Amino acid sequence: MAVLCVIAQGCSPRVADEAKTVVAQADSMRAEGGMYNDSVQLAKTYRTLHRRKAFYSDEYARCCYHYGRLLREKDDPVVAMQVFINATHSHTRDYAILGRIYSNMGSICHLAGDYDLSYDMYERSGEMYLLAQDTLLYYYDLNNMAYELAEQGKKEETTSILSRIEANSTDENVINKTWETMAELFVRISQYDSVIYAVSYLENKGCAYSTHYVQKAQAYWSLDQKDSALYYAKYVIALPQASEQDKYNMLYIIANGDPTLSNDNILDISAQRSDIETEVLIPLHNQWALAVQLLKQDLNRHPDYQWIYVASATILVIGLILIIYIRRKRRRHSLLSQQIDDLTHANNAAMQLHEQIIQKHTEYTNSLLAQIEKNCTLMYHAENFPNNIYWKDFDAMSKLINDNFGMLVAKLQNTYHLSENGIRLCILVLLGNPNGKQLAHLLFYGESGIRNFKNRIANKLGTNSTELRTFLINLAIN
């Protein structure tokens, strides 16, 4: 009966045709530069094809792409990431759409600040475009990879990739994208005159956007040319397409660089920046971070073969019992049939119990992870942080963290023998993973030394600074 239901689902012509029609419409709108915006219909189509992905893998992957894009537009990156991940497991041979899907996953990782993982996703995207024989989009993805390196200030690696693009691509739009990457690299390595030059080049080409003017304003600010910085900061604020992040950055320059502002004006601007940060930027960044966590869990997922071993052992035992039973009771066919049925039912019950145990363990782990993330958010974003975690009283703070995070401090002390300062660093990384400047302030380190200290602690724990928070969460759970 179950097999017949699956076949019926896969072969229902009306439902499948409706779903394929929606996907075709979305494909057509994308080809024309638009987006399919009927979220209700697209969600319905996604659910329909998800149940039939074994029969319609290509249509399912394309639906995942359109639905994921729409979810991103609606600021729901967590669900979007899950949809994109599902597409990568669809076994589709539509490499062009897989390239776009991996590119979107790379973009979410970039927004979350995980540039290494973003680089990996763009690299996969490029591989898909090569399989699809789309060299134009391949060079766009090469530039995306270079941009992730530029974000990290890796000059030689960035310029190496850009040189490959310039040597092999003559497309003007691709070349203009490389200038965007160079502008970002110049920002990261503090070559502010070069930042201004690169953005001016993009302006002359008619492809400068709000982010580029932000770079120009920040470059002038760093060069102590306050009037020019103020001019571009106000220009960005007036742009309709300027993001909240761009406005947040430019309001700082306006508040600190406009001599005509009164104290009340400055307070108003500071309050506006605070509202943008707490109401928009922090919630969005938390969502991006959760989306990236989903991706990492998928990448680190290992097939669980334990059930195969259990089933094989069960079948072997049942087989031996049946052989003995048949030899002894060859003439009692009716009783033999009854015994076989009983054994089959017992085996099914054992398998169901095994599955229930696995499911409960998974649910418990997920629940524990969600509670830890909730505790981190409540503590780190409290108005009186870090006083709310007894920052100045190490023993009281240790008890609070042990009680709420699986005896984490005790594990760090007893297993890894961390110093007090090392444990304080781990607590800050666990609760909110602040930037280097914030870590340096709270731990009384110089900004130049805090990164090395964080790396040393991560190495002592057997991980790296990028994966440190994930390690601490797993340590708290296990």
Side-chain angles (χ1 to χ4, degrees):
M1 181 62 71
V3 174
L4 292 176
C5 290
V6 171
I7 294 175
Q9 280 189 341
C11 301
S12 175
R14 182 181 63 81
V15 174
D17 287 345
E18 289 178 357
K20 289 193 290 185
T21 298
V22 172
V23 173
Q25 291 173 352
D27 288 340
S28 177
M29 295 184 69
R30 178 187 61 78
E32 295 174 359
M35 177 181 290
Y36 191 92
N37 288 318
D38 189 340
S39 58
V40 175
Q41 184 62 50
L42 201 53
K44 177 183 176 182
T45 302
Y46 167 74
R47 291 192 297 270
T48 298
L49 291 175
H50 184 76
R51 294 192 295 269
R52 297 164 173 80
K53 57 186 175 183
F55 302 93
Y56 303 102
S57 60
D58 290 347
E59 289 83 358
Y60 174 65
R62 298 207 306 276
C63 181
C64 286
Y65 166 70
H66 296 300
Y67 189 37
R69 280 186 66 204
L70 186 61
L71 289 167
R72 285 194 61 192
E73 287 292 320
K74 295 182 177 296
D75 290 331
D76 193 353
V78 177
V79 179
M81 180 64 84
Q82 185 60 65
V83 170
F84 290 141
I85 290 171
N86 290 344
T88 64
H89 297 303
S90 65
H91 304 293
T92 181
R93 294 297 182 89
D94 190 338
Y95 298 117
I97 208 66
L98 281 176
R100 295 179 181 276
I101 286 168
Y102 278 120
S103 183
N104 272 269
M105 294 164 76
S107 179
I108 294 174
C109 294
H110 171 84
L111 292 170
D114 196 327
Y115 304 126
D116 288 331
L117 186 55
S118 180
Y119 180 97
D120 292 341
M121 293 299 104
Y122 284 133
E123 187 173 34
R124 295 191 188 196
S125 176
E127 291 170 356
M128 294 300 106
Y129 287 138
L130 284 180
L131 289 173
Q133 299 182 341
D134 192 332
T135 54
L136 177 62
L137 291 182
Y138 169 72
Y139 286 121
Y140 273 117
D141 256 340
L142 268 186
N143 180 70
N144 288 336
M145 292 161 61
Y147 197 95
E148 300 311 305
L149 295 172
E151 285 275 13
Q152 302 172 72
K154 297 180 178 180
K155 182 178 180 180
E156 293 182 2
E157 295 93 329
T158 303
T159 54
S160 175
I161 293 180
L162 294 181
S163 297
R164 286 173 54 193
I165 297 174
E166 293 170 359
N168 294 284
S169 177
T170 57
D171 186 89
E172 183 178 5
N173 291 325
V174 173
I175 299 303
N176 288 339
K177 281 291 182 181
T178 65
W179 278 88
E180 293 182 5
T181 301
M182 288 302 296
E184 182 61 26
L185 176 62
F186 292 143
V187 169
R188 297 297 173 179
I189 61 178
S190 303
Q191 293 185 4
Y192 300 115
D193 287 334
S194 298
V195 174
I196 295 169
Y197 178 81
V199 175
S200 296
Y201 174 89
L202 292 171
E203 286 183 272
N204 292 333
K205 291 293 183 178
C207 50
Y209 303 104
S210 62
T211 301
H212 303 129
Y213 292 114
V214 168
Q215 292 172 330
K216 202 168 189 179
Q218 292 173 334
Y220 277 123
W221 183 264
S222 297
L223 292 171
D224 204 28
Q225 298 182 28
K226 300 288 182 65
D227 290 343
S228 297
L230 185 60
Y231 170 80
Y232 282 104
K234 291 181 177 180
Y235 182 76
V236 170
I237 294 296
L239 289 175
Q241 70 272 26
S243 68
E244 295 300 313
Q245 181 68 62
D246 291 340
K247 293 176 182 178
Y248 176 80
N249 292 333
M250 294 301 93
L251 285 172
Y252 174 84
I253 292 178
I254 293 173
N256 293 275
D258 190 344
T260 66
L261 295 177
S262 66
N263 289 335
D264 288 341
N265 295 144
I266 294 173
L267 288 175
D268 288 341
I269 293 174
S270 298
Q272 187 178 349
R273 287 187 80 237
S274 178
D275 289 344
I276 293 174
E277 180 180 24
T278 56
E279 296 177 10
V280 179
L281 299 183
I282 290 177
L284 267 180
H285 190 275
N286 289 340
Q287 288 292 300
W288 294 328
L290 287 174
V292 169
Q293 190 65 30
L294 272 181
L295 176 58
K296 288 181 177 179
Q297 290 174 357
D298 180 73
L299 294 175
N300 295 326
R301 183 184 60 180
H302 300 290
D304 184 5
Y305 296 111
Q306 185 176 358
W307 70 272
I308 296 179
Y309 303 142
V310 173
S312 299
T314 303
I315 292 172
L316 179 60
V317 171
I318 293 174
L320 291 173
I321 294 173
L322 287 176
I323 291 173
I324 296 172
Y325 185 81
I326 290 172
R327 286 179 177 179
R328 292 181 176 180
K329 306 290 182 181
R330 191 184 296 270
R331 297 176 182 179
R332 301 174 62 181
H333 296 292
S334 59
L335 180 60
L336 174 63
S337 299
Q338 181 63 43
Q339 292 294 329
I340 292 175
D341 289 340
D342 292 341
L343 288 171
T344 302
H345 290 315
N347 181 50
N348 290 337
M351 293 295 291
Q352 290 177 357
L353 179 60
H354 176 68
E355 291 173 358
Q356 290 172 0
I357 292 172
I358 292 176
Q359 181 179 358
K360 288 181 179 179
H361 177 71
T362 301
E363 290 173 352
Y364 172 77
T365 301
N366 291 337
S367 174
L368 197 56
L369 177 60
Q371 185 60 49
I372 286 176
E373 290 289 357
K374 182 178 179 181
N375 290 344
C376 289
T377 300
L378 290 174
M379 292 183 184
Y380 185 72
H381 294 294
E383 293 183 358
N384 60 338
F385 181 84
N387 294 330
N388 63 313
I389 64 169
Y390 310 108
W391 182 251
K392 296 180 179 180
D393 186 344
F394 182 74
D395 291 337
M397 178 175 65
S398 298
K399 184 179 186 306
L400 177 67
I401 297 302
N402 281 332
D403 291 345
N404 288 276
F405 298 99
M407 300 300 293
L408 178 63
V409 173
K411 294 173 183 176
L412 293 173
Q413 288 174 326
N414 298 331
T415 304
Y416 297 97
H417 309 294
L418 292 191
S419 65
E420 178 179 330
N421 238 22
I423 292 173
R424 286 180 180 274
L425 171 72
C426 290
I427 290 172
L428 291 174
V429 171
L430 170 71
L431 294 182
N433 207 9
N435 58 38
K437 185 176 181 180
Q438 293 169 324
L439 284 174
H441 171 72
L442 289 170
L443 295 174
F444 301 100
Y445 262 76
E447 287 189 43
S448 59
I450 192 66
R451 179 180 296 177
N452 291 332
F453 180 59
K454 185 177 180 182
N455 285 332
R456 289 200 305 272
I457 294 300
N459 290 335
K460 192 168 184 179
L461 295 175
T463 183
N464 56 60
S465 60
T466 302
E467 298 293 334
L468 179 55
R469 185 169 190 270
T470 302
F471 174 87
L472 293 171
I473 291 175
N474 290 333
L475 185 61
I477 291 176
N478 297 319

